[in-house]
Amino acid sequence: MPTKIGGFDSGPGPVSTGRAVKRGDAARSSASGAASSSSDAHITDSARKLSELEHVVQSLPAVDSSRVAEVSSSIQNGTYQVNPERIADKLLQSEKDLAKLV
């Protein structure tokens, strides 16, 4: 069930325009070559774990509705407090985590 926040729908978007796409000869020959060598492919433990994590993440809701309700309520009540140090720490940690991926 998609959730709308601020007028934006979090549901999945369109995948294609509905037009057929023709492949060139190079794409066909590389695709057929990949298909013939697929019996030699090996999935590593890391790839398997990533696949499992992807399935877990996909099963989670895109929005934590209870947290949204909690924050909305505290904003309406005037009790919401912003912690700039925590925000800065989280941003720095996010940057460090992203730098490790590159």
Side-chain angles (χ1 to χ4, degrees):
M1 175 177 137
T3 305
K4 287 189 176 186
I5 296 178
F8 294 101
D9 188 1
S10 66
V15 175
S16 72
T17 60
R19 294 182 290 149
V21 176
K22 293 183 181 181
R23 294 182 183 254
D25 291 333
R28 268 190 229 111
S29 64
S30 67
S32 64
S36 65
S37 65
S38 66
S39 62
D40 296 339
H42 300 283
I43 298 176
T44 64
D45 288 336
S46 298
R48 190 171 289 117
K49 288 177 185 176
L50 283 173
S51 177
E52 291 171 6
L53 286 173
E54 181 180 9
H55 290 295
V56 169
V57 169
Q58 287 177 349
S59 68
L60 295 173
V63 176
D64 184 352
S65 300
S66 63
R67 178 72 177 138
V68 170
E70 179 185 330
V71 171
S72 295
S73 175
S74 64
I75 290 171
Q76 289 175 350
N77 296 335
T79 58
Y80 183 76
Q81 294 181 352
V82 176
N83 184 342
E85 291 83 15
R86 182 170 183 241
I87 293 170
D89 289 342
K90 293 286 186 174
L91 284 171
L92 289 172
Q93 186 59 49
S94 177
E95 285 294 318
K96 289 176 185 176
D97 292 343
L98 288 172
K100 291 177 186 177
L101 297 175
V102 177

